mmCIF file of all heavy atoms in Angstrom:
data_model
loop_
_atom_site.group_PDB
_atom_site.id
_atom_site.type_symbol
_atom_site.label_atom_id
_atom_site.label_comp_id
_atom_site.label_asym_id
_atom_site.label_seq_id
_atom_site.Cartn_x
_atom_site.Cartn_y
_atom_site.Cartn_z
ATOM 1 N N GLY A 401 78.209 -86.228 27.567
ATOM 2 C CA GLY A 401 78.810 -84.999 27.060
ATOM 3 C C GLY A 401 77.872 -83.811 27.112
ATOM 4 O O GLY A 401 77.156 -83.582 28.092
ATOM 5 N N ILE A 402 77.842 -83.066 26.026
ATOM 6 C CA ILE A 402 77.077 -81.827 25.959
ATOM 7 C C ILE A 402 75.567 -82.090 25.991
ATOM 8 O O ILE A 402 74.775 -81.186 26.292
ATOM 9 C CB ILE A 402 77.471 -81.039 24.678
ATOM 10 C CG1 ILE A 402 77.131 -79.560 24.826
ATOM 11 C CG2 ILE A 402 76.842 -81.656 23.452
ATOM 12 C CD1 ILE A 402 77.993 -78.829 25.820
ATOM 13 N N GLN A 403 75.155 -83.334 25.711
ATOM 14 C CA GLN A 403 73.729 -83.660 25.735
ATOM 15 C C GLN A 403 73.150 -83.623 27.150
ATOM 16 O O GLN A 403 71.933 -83.686 27.324
ATOM 17 C CB GLN A 403 73.495 -85.037 25.103
ATOM 18 C CG GLN A 403 73.879 -85.127 23.638
ATOM 19 C CD GLN A 403 73.039 -84.236 22.738
ATOM 20 O OE1 GLN A 403 71.992 -83.714 23.137
ATOM 21 N NE2 GLN A 403 73.497 -84.041 21.513
ATOM 22 N N GLU A 404 74.020 -83.498 28.146
ATOM 23 C CA GLU A 404 73.544 -83.312 29.517
ATOM 24 C C GLU A 404 72.662 -82.062 29.612
ATOM 25 O O GLU A 404 71.705 -82.012 30.391
ATOM 26 C CB GLU A 404 74.744 -83.178 30.464
ATOM 27 C CG GLU A 404 74.377 -82.929 31.916
ATOM 28 C CD GLU A 404 73.978 -84.186 32.659
ATOM 29 O OE1 GLU A 404 74.133 -85.281 32.092
ATOM 30 O OE2 GLU A 404 73.512 -84.059 33.801
ATOM 31 N N LEU A 405 72.966 -81.043 28.797
ATOM 32 C CA LEU A 405 72.158 -79.815 28.792
ATOM 33 C C LEU A 405 70.745 -80.097 28.300
ATOM 34 O O LEU A 405 69.771 -79.517 28.788
ATOM 35 C CB LEU A 405 72.831 -78.755 27.910
ATOM 36 C CG LEU A 405 74.227 -78.299 28.338
ATOM 37 C CD1 LEU A 405 74.820 -77.349 27.317
ATOM 38 C CD2 LEU A 405 74.168 -77.636 29.712
ATOM 39 N N TYR A 406 70.632 -80.968 27.322
ATOM 40 C CA TYR A 406 69.321 -81.343 26.784
ATOM 41 C C TYR A 406 68.509 -82.095 27.834
ATOM 42 O O TYR A 406 67.302 -81.883 27.984
ATOM 43 C CB TYR A 406 69.538 -82.200 25.537
ATOM 44 C CG TYR A 406 68.307 -82.453 24.704
ATOM 45 C CD1 TYR A 406 67.402 -81.437 24.420
ATOM 46 C CD2 TYR A 406 68.063 -83.723 24.171
ATOM 47 C CE1 TYR A 406 66.291 -81.673 23.634
ATOM 48 C CE2 TYR A 406 66.956 -83.963 23.379
ATOM 49 C CZ TYR A 406 66.066 -82.937 23.122
ATOM 50 O OH TYR A 406 64.959 -83.168 22.351
ATOM 51 N N TYR A 407 69.176 -82.958 28.567
ATOM 52 C CA TYR A 407 68.528 -83.714 29.647
ATOM 53 C C TYR A 407 68.016 -82.767 30.728
ATOM 54 O O TYR A 407 66.868 -82.874 31.197
ATOM 55 C CB TYR A 407 69.539 -84.724 30.206
ATOM 56 C CG TYR A 407 69.125 -85.424 31.480
ATOM 57 C CD1 TYR A 407 67.871 -86.010 31.621
ATOM 58 C CD2 TYR A 407 70.016 -85.507 32.552
ATOM 59 C CE1 TYR A 407 67.505 -86.663 32.786
ATOM 60 C CE2 TYR A 407 69.658 -86.149 33.726
ATOM 61 C CZ TYR A 407 68.407 -86.726 33.840
ATOM 62 O OH TYR A 407 68.052 -87.370 34.996
ATOM 63 N N LYS A 408 68.839 -81.793 31.130
ATOM 64 C CA LYS A 408 68.438 -80.849 32.177
ATOM 65 C C LYS A 408 67.273 -79.979 31.715
ATOM 66 O O LYS A 408 66.405 -79.609 32.512
ATOM 67 C CB LYS A 408 69.627 -79.983 32.575
ATOM 68 C CG LYS A 408 70.693 -80.736 33.363
ATOM 69 C CD LYS A 408 71.823 -79.827 33.797
ATOM 70 C CE LYS A 408 72.833 -80.589 34.652
ATOM 71 N NZ LYS A 408 73.965 -79.717 35.070
ATOM 72 N N GLU A 409 67.257 -79.646 30.431
ATOM 73 C CA GLU A 409 66.153 -78.852 29.897
ATOM 74 C C GLU A 409 64.836 -79.627 30.004
ATOM 75 O O GLU A 409 63.778 -79.048 30.327
ATOM 76 C CB GLU A 409 66.442 -78.484 28.443
ATOM 77 C CG GLU A 409 65.413 -77.562 27.797
ATOM 78 C CD GLU A 409 65.444 -76.147 28.358
ATOM 79 O OE1 GLU A 409 66.355 -75.825 29.164
ATOM 80 O OE2 GLU A 409 64.560 -75.346 27.991
ATOM 81 N N ALA A 410 64.865 -80.920 29.765
ATOM 82 C CA ALA A 410 63.660 -81.744 29.918
ATOM 83 C C ALA A 410 63.236 -81.805 31.379
ATOM 84 O O ALA A 410 62.035 -81.781 31.696
ATOM 85 C CB ALA A 410 63.917 -83.145 29.370
ATOM 86 N N GLN A 411 64.213 -81.896 32.280
ATOM 87 C CA GLN A 411 63.894 -81.924 33.709
ATOM 88 C C GLN A 411 63.166 -80.656 34.155
ATOM 89 O O GLN A 411 62.314 -80.692 35.054
ATOM 90 C CB GLN A 411 65.176 -82.072 34.535
ATOM 91 C CG GLN A 411 65.788 -83.459 34.511
ATOM 92 C CD GLN A 411 67.054 -83.525 35.349
ATOM 93 O OE1 GLN A 411 67.925 -82.670 35.232
ATOM 94 N NE2 GLN A 411 67.150 -84.537 36.200
#
Side-chain angles (χ1 to χ4, degrees):
I402 202 70
Q403 297 296 346
E404 178 80 8
L405 299 175
Y406 191 43
Y407 170 49
K408 289 183 177 179
E409 184 70 7
Q411 286 180 312

